[in-house]
Amino acid sequence: MTPVFLCKNKIMLKRDKHYLIHFLLRCSLLFLFVLSTPARAMTAELSEVHHLYKMGVPVLALRMLELYQPLLTKEPASWEEWEKLRFNIYHDQKEFQRLVERYDNLPADVSSRFRDWAVTYAASARNEQGDGRLARAALLKQIWSAPLRNDKELEKQWRFQIIASYLQEGKLDDAGLAIKSYAKEFGVGDKEFKIFQARYFLMNGVPERVKSVLSKKDKGEAYALYLCARLQSKQSKAVRVMNSAIKSAGKRKEKTENKYRFWLLSAKAALAAEYYAQYVKSMEQATRLLDKAPADELFYHNTDHLWLAYESYALFLAGKDSFMEDKDAPWFALAKKHIRKRPVRGRAIYALLSRGAKTEENNIKAHKRLVKNLNRVKNGADIVQQLYMNSSRFKKVAAIPIAVRKYLADKAVKEGKIKLASTLINGLEEDEESKNRIKEMLRRARIHIMAGNTTEGINILEDILESDDNLKKKQLDRVMQVVFDLQAVDEHLTAYSLFELLYDRTTNKKRKREMLYWMADSKRALTEYDEAARLYLRSAWLHDKKAADPWAESAKYQAARTLSEGGYIKDSYKLFKKLLRSSSEPRHRQVLKQELEKLRFRE
């Protein structure tokens, strides 16, 4: 058969056979050109990836780097520009371990100029991790690889990192010499250098000298160091420092790491001023930010400090009121008295009772009430997570009270931290007498399945079905939700088997009809197209062989598509035809006509 595009002028083709040869030659050259030309519209440019990062999608930007970064062997200069963006993203996102690993594994043939640039980032990352020794080691190795350089800006950055490394390790004599050497070479005008000087003065026990390099007009880290010096040198009243730090911590645009510094500084100032309630409040806020806290010896804090702050405050309150009860009940009553109007007092007492109550039952009761009240505080869930996940009091997850583990698991699920949630609920067992036993078991099953621990999840589901023959409607709905989760992770064989069990457990006709449809979905995913089509149609006609309601029409449509996928073209065609005859909705009719058109090409 002659192709359509060659049929327009048959006479011409007969007269001029060379035309066809010429035409095909041009087509083949065009084809070769298309193959050899990069698909620029589909390839990400460096500027586009950079824009993605600036838009706030760093994970996507890194993925584009993986996909589209040029080869070092073919385009070394371009590869290095892309790699610089990668280092910048890692550093800005505080992915310090990934950054140093990337630096340590740089290809051998990258240029020395690029290594000079990259080692500054690697040293900064090491310092941020609190490892000054490795930061210096990386710098010294690069310095001695090519001693003769004429790059003042580069040398300046390296000197900065060396000073930071000494301060990080507390090597004050070496830091002092490095600071003097830097000042002699480059002067003292840089703000970053002034911050190093202030740190050196504070760590060396001469806070009064900080005012020579920093002032109250400074911002961020510099202002935090200035306030710290004012507090240590007693040049300002502790209350004034406390209020200034709280005000700075509350600024919306302040960096998180500096908010942490200001909260911790306000806690120290509050303690010095004997504002004990504010001391605990500030400690709570500093604790909540611990995951994003910098490695900073001047502002060191850990979760155990908050537990001690709670307990100290509770004992102070008891001593102040001459409250020396030996039984738990009066302590719980005292906490309840304070919890509404002065909640920080109540939290402190509950924290004390969580370890100091006379019975294990009361310890757990105190933990529950502490968590409940913290949940009412802004960002209180983060405080709870730090208190229980990062404290030496709970060295293993199993040591955390069950009620708290469930609370933290729910928080982890909401934040998409499914692996953490699975770890928290692993090994939990519900009380046989509990009214919420099945609900709790299903929650565990869902978390395990979403975390990829499908075997654990399936085992829990089977335990539920084996132990309870009379599931209530709400319970049945929840079980089915977990089965949907199995389908979502492609565990269709197990999902189908469970649906079969549930199908026999219910007498609700509507629910049976729905289950048949979902069972068909799993069979279809397993490529058992004939069985899937049968189940879709059974779902459509379960109660009425002539059913034409929306559910029936949807099930028939899926059956027709499944038949097509399984190669049953004639059956699929007939079913689509019937659906077309019974449909009056223009949009639906258009979709059905398109399906029929596709099938005509397959006949």
Side-chain angles (χ1 to χ4, degrees):
M1 180 184 245
T2 308
V4 175
F5 66 85
L6 294 181
C7 291
K8 292 183 179 178
N9 197 339
K10 292 183 180 179
I11 297 173
M12 184 190 75
L13 290 178
K14 288 178 181 177
R15 286 204 306 251
D16 191 358
K17 293 180 181 178
H18 294 291
Y19 175 84
L20 177 60
I21 297 170
H22 178 65
F23 178 81
L24 292 174
L25 180 60
R26 287 174 63 192
C27 286
S28 64
L29 289 172
L30 178 62
F31 179 69
L32 288 172
F33 173 76
V34 169
L35 285 181
S36 62
T37 304
R40 302 306 297 171
M42 301 304 291
T43 303
E45 300 288 346
L46 180 59
S47 59
E48 180 187 354
V49 180
H50 186 269
H51 185 60
L52 286 173
Y53 173 56
K54 290 298 181 184
M55 285 175 64
V57 283
V59 177
L60 178 60
L62 287 170
R63 177 59 181 156
M64 294 302 101
L65 277 164
E66 295 294 337
L67 290 173
Y68 297 113
Q69 184 175 17
L71 293 174
L72 175 62
T73 53
K74 291 186 176 181
E75 300 178 58
S78 182
W79 182 91
E80 288 180 0
E81 289 303 312
W82 283 69
E83 194 66 10
K84 284 182 179 181
L85 178 57
R86 185 196 302 276
F87 272 60
N88 273 308
I89 293 174
Y90 282 159
H91 197 276
D92 289 351
Q93 295 298 304
K94 302 190 183 303
E95 296 273 2
F96 299 125
Q97 188 57 37
R98 292 180 73 182
L99 192 155
V100 295
E101 286 175 0
R102 186 75 181 180
Y103 174 77
D104 290 343
N105 292 287
L106 281 174
D109 47 350
V110 299
S111 68
S112 59
R113 185 177 181 81
F114 179 79
R115 282 189 184 276
D116 285 347
W117 178 90
V119 75
T120 310
Y121 275 78
S124 175
R126 288 294 192 191
N127 279 324
E128 290 287 353
Q129 288 180 312
D131 200 331
R133 183 183 62 80
L134 285 178
R136 282 197 309 281
L139 286 166
L140 291 171
K141 181 180 178 181
Q142 189 60 22
I143 288 169
W144 290 111
S145 68
L148 297 176
R149 289 183 179 84
N150 188 25
D151 190 333
K152 286 289 184 182
E153 186 57 36
L154 182 65
E155 185 182 349
K156 191 175 178 181
Q157 291 300 321
W158 287 358
R159 294 275 198 96
F160 268 145
Q161 295 305 326
I162 287 171
I163 294 170
S165 74
Y166 285 134
L167 290 173
Q168 190 65 249
E169 288 189 288
K171 294 186 174 182
L172 300 181
D173 291 343
D174 291 329
L177 290 172
I179 287 171
K180 287 179 182 177
S181 174
Y182 179 94
K184 185 177 180 180
E185 185 76 19
F186 301 105
V188 295
D190 291 353
K191 178 58 66 179
E192 192 172 355
F193 178 67
K194 289 182 177 180
I195 287 174
F196 282 142
Q197 283 184 297
R199 286 185 170 279
Y200 173 72
F201 293 146
L202 286 165
M203 294 173 75
N204 226 16
V206 284
E208 62 277 2
R209 294 187 62 185
V210 170
K211 66 180 180 181
S212 66
V213 292
L214 299 176
S215 75
K216 62 182 179 181
K217 293 182 180 180
D218 285 310
K219 296 179 181 179
E221 181 183 357
Y223 186 54
L225 292 169
Y226 170 78
L227 287 179
C228 187
R230 300 295 288 183
L231 181 66
Q232 284 189 20
S233 63
K234 298 182 181 179
Q235 291 173 321
S236 293
K237 289 183 178 180
V239 174
R240 190 172 180 179
V241 172
M242 178 188 79
N243 290 330
S244 296
I246 290 171
K247 184 179 178 181
S248 296
K251 289 181 179 178
R252 188 170 57 87
K253 293 185 178 180
E254 187 60 81
K255 289 182 179 179
T256 303
E257 60 192 46
N258 289 329
K259 284 177 182 276
Y260 163 81
R261 289 185 174 106
F262 284 123
W263 280 121
L264 196 56
L265 181 58
S266 72
K268 292 178 180 179
L271 186 61
E274 299 183 359
Y275 279 49
Y276 299 124
Q278 184 58 53
Y279 166 62
V280 175
K281 288 180 185 177
S282 293
M283 289 285 277
E284 286 177 337
Q285 292 304 313
T287 300
R288 133 183 114 75
L289 298 173
L290 269 173
D291 281 345
K292 298 176 182 178
D296 191 335
E297 285 301 313
L298 287 173
F299 296 90
Y300 176 73
H301 175 53
N302 64 42
T303 308
D304 289 336
H305 292 168
L306 178 55
W307 281 112
L308 291 172
Y310 279 140
E311 292 169 348
S312 299
Y313 186 41
L315 291 171
F316 166 78
L317 292 171
K320 182 182 176 184
D321 296 337
S322 300
F323 186 85
M324 295 299 168
E325 290 289 343
D326 192 41
K327 295 181 180 179
D328 293 342
W331 283 94
F332 277 105
L334 181 64
K336 187 177 180 181
K337 172 187 170 184
H338 289 305
I339 204 70
R340 180 172 293 181
K341 292 186 177 180
R342 295 178 175 178
V344 69
R345 291 187 176 189
R347 292 199 292 274
I349 295 168
Y350 286 139
L352 180 66
L353 288 169
S354 70
R355 193 160 71 161
K358 302 298 179 184
T359 66
E360 182 65 22
E361 182 182 356
N362 282 338
N363 285 336
I364 293 170
K365 179 181 175 182
H367 279 297
K368 287 181 179 178
R369 293 193 178 180
L370 173 62
V371 170
K372 183 180 180 181
N373 189 258
L374 277 172
N375 197 42
R376 294 172 182 166
V377 178
K378 186 178 180 181
N379 301 311
D382 295 331
I383 301 171
V384 174
Q385 182 168 322
Q386 289 293 340
L387 278 172
Y388 290 93
M389 295 295 293
N390 297 315
S391 170
S392 63
R393 298 188 180 197
F394 309 100
K395 293 180 179 178
K396 295 181 179 179
V397 170
I400 301 172
I402 292 173
V404 180
R405 286 170 66 183
K406 289 178 180 178
Y407 171 87
L408 291 173
D410 286 342
K411 178 181 182 291
V413 170
K414 288 175 185 175
E415 294 175 352
K417 300 174 182 176
I418 307 301
K419 290 286 186 185
L420 173 60
S422 180
T423 300
L424 284 161
I425 55 113
N426 192 37
L428 289 182
E429 292 184 3
E430 286 70 28
D431 183 357
E432 291 291 331
E433 304 300 321
S434 172
K435 293 180 181 179
N436 296 320
R437 184 178 66 86
I438 290 178
K439 181 180 177 181
E440 295 291 337
M441 290 178 74
L442 288 170
R443 176 171 64 174
R444 285 200 295 125
R446 289 199 73 188
I447 291 172
H448 280 311
I449 290 166
M450 287 189 288
N453 304 324
T454 50
T455 304
E456 289 284 341
I458 291 166
N459 288 340
I460 294 170
L461 278 179
E462 289 175 346
D463 286 345
I464 292 171
L465 295 175
E466 287 174 9
S467 63
D468 200 327
D469 292 327
N470 299 305
L471 292 173
K472 295 176 182 177
K473 185 179 181 299
K474 279 188 178 180
Q475 293 173 333
L476 188 64
D477 288 343
R478 288 181 180 134
V479 172
M480 286 198 300
Q481 186 59 57
V482 183
V483 183
F484 294 150
D485 292 335
L486 285 170
Q487 288 181 314
V489 295
D490 294 327
E491 288 285 342
H492 289 286
L493 197 59
T494 304
Y496 181 83
S497 299
L498 290 168
F499 271 133
E500 274 192 316
L501 288 172
L502 292 170
Y503 186 85
D504 293 333
R505 295 284 185 92
T506 183
T507 57
N508 185 296
K509 292 182 178 180
K510 181 176 178 292
R511 186 50 49 83
K512 279 182 173 289
R513 193 184 194 197
E514 293 168 348
M515 285 187 194
L516 287 168
Y517 190 100
W518 296 321
M519 289 163 73
D521 284 345
S522 283
K523 285 294 185 183
R524 186 177 181 180
L526 293 166
T527 67
E528 296 179 29
Y529 299 114
D530 47 2
E531 188 64 14
R534 182 184 72 83
L535 289 166
Y536 281 129
L537 291 174
R538 190 176 168 192
S539 174
W541 300 327
L542 184 64
H543 310 308
D544 182 359
K545 300 298 182 186
K546 296 180 180 180
D549 59 290
W551 184 275
E553 296 299 283
S554 175
K556 290 176 199 175
Y557 175 76
Q558 294 301 335
R561 289 194 65 188
T562 304
L563 287 166
S564 171
E565 291 165 13
Y568 299 89
I569 305 303
K570 288 183 179 179
D571 286 356
S572 177
Y573 190 89
K574 287 178 181 179
L575 199 47
F576 276 129
K577 268 288 190 184
K578 284 184 179 180
L579 286 167
L580 183 61
R581 283 196 296 269
S582 63
S583 176
S584 59
E585 171 64 40
R587 188 168 58 88
H588 293 169
R589 289 180 63 80
Q590 183 62 32
V591 171
L592 292 167
K593 285 178 182 179
Q594 289 172 356
E595 294 287 358
L596 287 166
E597 192 66 25
K598 291 177 191 174
L599 290 175
R600 288 193 189 100
F601 285 106
R602 295 178 61 188
E603 283 184 322

